[in-house]
Amino acid sequence: MKVQVLQENLQRGLSIVGRAVATRSTHPMTANVLLQTNQGRLKLVATDLDISISTWIGAKIDEEGATTVQARLISDFVASLPPATVNLEIPDRSRQLKLECARNEASMSAMDAEDFPLVKSIEDGVRIQLEPKAFRRAIERVEFAAANDDSRPVLTGIHFKTEGPRLTLASADGFRLAVADITLGAAPSESIEVIVPARALREVARLVGDSNEPIEMRVNTARSQVLFSLTDTEMVAQLIQGTFPNYSQLIPAQYNTRCIVDVDEFKRETRIAAIFARDGSGIIRLQMQSSNGQAGQLTISARADEVGDNEGRIDAAVEGDAAKIAFNMRYLQDVLGALSGKVALETTSPSSQGVFRPEGESDYVHVVMPMFVQW
């Protein structure tokens, strides 16, 4: 193999696939990155066996070939090089990758590309075209609510389900539920219901960035893998097998109190309350009051017996009865961090779940279980 590539392109490609490099694995090859000539470009691949990321960068191919080298070593070395042309070469019958750039030379131990875990692109199955900004926003609104522990594997993923031209993403960890809808340009050829690992979708959101290029999602016929295809990058992830909970019954159909507030003000007062809540079991109390038809008020408070307490108030439009409810501070901060503009908080009683909805939007709902406190 003999290839010439610009340092900035190689560095960018290595940083993209580096997110899939295994940090701990019994398979030594998953700590490597595959370098392979492919249709006049250089293809970079990394995998931890759960997700695989491939990207293509422009290159001058003098001799076709492929090899694998330690991902961390080549990434750190290339990132330190000046912005110039990098020459990559593996001489015949050699197991060393030679790199040259400006006045820098290096030699790295290489391993046979044939031993690298095979990553097949998904060519068959169902395809969906996704608008990048809408898809990224939906991911950011649901991924944080997925469970982090593996005691219930299905809850570590995000549930995808299509109904005609609508795609619904949902996540839950047993204490909260996030549901976001996306309107597709066209309905898929057949309905899809799969569970995608939350970690894989976090990587997709990073790959999408501020791109305006459409994303193609493909699910193989066996419903075991999903592929997200961007212009020069692909990610394949293993789907989670199992049955996702029937979350629709967890969303209350009615409420006794509805409180609409500015998200930025709510965030600010929640951050202040969290200073005290972190020493008081992480509980933030909310009290909603209307004032005889006048502007209402939302009171955000926290207390820690050995530290102190605080109370902040913001203006609110309150419909229905006065109400009080308490939440875990992290769950409250997480949902507010995913919103902007105004948010509506709907409650039935202090012991029933609270429902957050962006005001004026019908494509997102977030449900949080309350904390039981002495008022």
Side-chain angles (χ1 to χ4, degrees):
M1 185 178 79
K2 192 173 182 181
V3 175
Q4 297 179 45
V5 61
L6 292 177
Q7 181 271 343
E8 52 263 43
N9 291 343
L10 184 55
Q11 181 183 353
R12 185 181 70 252
L14 289 168
S15 67
I16 288 172
V17 301
R19 308 287 305 189
V21 174
T23 53
R24 299 182 186 87
S25 176
T26 56
H27 197 309
M29 272 295 191
T30 57
N32 284 15
V33 60
L34 172 68
L35 309 174
Q36 181 181 49
T37 57
N38 182 264
Q39 298 180 349
R41 295 188 293 175
L42 182 63
K43 180 182 181 182
L44 310 178
V45 185
T47 181
D48 63 2
L49 304 181
D50 289 324
I51 69 170
S52 304
I53 300 178
S54 306
T55 193
W56 288 258
I57 58 175
K60 183 177 183 295
I61 310 298
D62 296 319
E63 291 180 14
E64 301 282 347
T67 190
T68 77
V69 293
Q70 189 185 96
R72 182 177 178 183
L73 178 63
I74 190 171
S75 296
D76 289 349
F77 177 70
V78 171
S80 303
L81 294 174
T85 299
V86 180
N87 296 299
L88 307 172
E89 181 179 3
I90 297 184
D92 291 340
R93 294 181 296 279
S94 172
R95 297 179 68 87
Q96 295 287 315
L97 173 65
K98 297 186 179 299
L99 300 92
E100 295 181 1
C101 179
R103 297 183 178 182
N104 294 275
E105 296 181 8
S107 180
M108 300 179 184
S109 296
M111 300 177 73
D112 291 338
E114 290 78 10
D115 296 329
F116 193 81
L118 184 62
V119 181
K120 286 186 177 180
S121 183
I122 299 172
E123 302 297 338
D124 56 357
V126 189
R127 300 173 182 237
I128 299 177
Q129 289 290 121
L130 295 162
E131 197 280 321
K133 286 184 170 55
F135 188 45
R136 181 182 176 186
R137 186 175 77 154
I139 293 173
E140 291 173 344
R141 285 181 162 188
V142 301
E143 58 85 11
F144 62 86
N148 292 318
D149 66 88
D150 295 327
S151 58
R152 294 184 66 188
V154 294
L155 297 185
T156 64
I158 295 176
H159 183 255
F160 277 57
K161 186 176 182 179
T162 59
E163 289 185 12
R166 186 180 70 176
L167 171 65
T168 301
L169 280 65
S171 63
D173 64 3
F175 302 97
R176 53 184 170 174
L177 164 71
V179 183
D181 290 330
I182 301 173
T183 301
L184 305 173
S189 58
E190 58 183 275
S191 62
I192 294 174
E193 185 170 5
V194 294
I195 304 173
V196 182
R199 179 198 162 209
L201 287 176
R202 292 184 195 109
E203 299 307 329
V204 172
R206 289 191 182 97
L207 292 174
V208 172
D210 297 323
S211 171
N212 292 315
E213 296 292 329
I215 304 160
E216 184 172 83
M217 173 182 167
R218 301 178 212 161
V219 179
N220 66 352
T221 52
R223 297 295 196 267
S224 61
Q225 291 181 316
V226 62
L227 176 144
F228 295 95
S229 178
L230 289 77
T231 304
D232 294 313
T233 304
E234 289 184 352
M235 190 192 77
V236 177
Q238 304 296 323
L239 293 172
I240 298 172
Q241 304 303 313
T243 302
F244 201 80
N246 180 12
Y247 56 83
S248 59
Q249 60 190 9
L250 301 177
I251 304 173
Q254 298 177 328
Y255 58 84
N256 292 334
T257 307
R258 189 169 194 259
C259 175
I260 302 172
V261 294
D262 181 82
V263 171
D264 289 338
E265 292 184 8
F266 201 171
K267 283 182 190 175
R268 184 187 67 245
E269 294 302 329
T270 299
R271 280 196 301 269
I272 294 171
I275 297 169
F276 294 85
R278 65 193 179 200
D279 293 311
S281 303
I283 296 172
I284 291 180
R285 295 167 166 82
L286 306 178
Q287 292 177 271
M288 292 153 271
Q289 290 180 303
S290 59
S291 189
N292 298 324
Q294 303 296 318
Q297 183 173 268
L298 173 64
T299 302
I300 302 103
S301 63
R303 70 171 74 111
D305 292 339
E306 297 180 2
V307 177
D309 57 51
N310 99 293
E311 192 173 276
R313 300 175 184 83
I314 56 177
D315 292 336
V318 180
E319 304 172 18
D321 305 330
K324 54 181 68 174
I325 194 168
F327 294 116
N328 176 286
M329 70 176 187
R330 182 168 68 87
Y331 294 168
L332 183 56
Q333 288 180 305
D334 281 349
V335 62
L336 293 178
L339 301 174
S340 59
K342 291 185 178 294
V343 62
L345 169 58
E346 301 170 355
T347 64
T348 303
S349 71
S351 58
S352 300
Q353 57 266 55
V355 181
F356 295 82
R357 303 179 191 270
E359 177 67 2
E361 298 179 31
S362 59
D363 59 358
Y364 182 67
V365 61
H366 192 98
V367 180
V368 184
M369 297 304 294
M371 301 289 287
F372 295 97
V373 299
Q374 295 294 326
W375 291 92

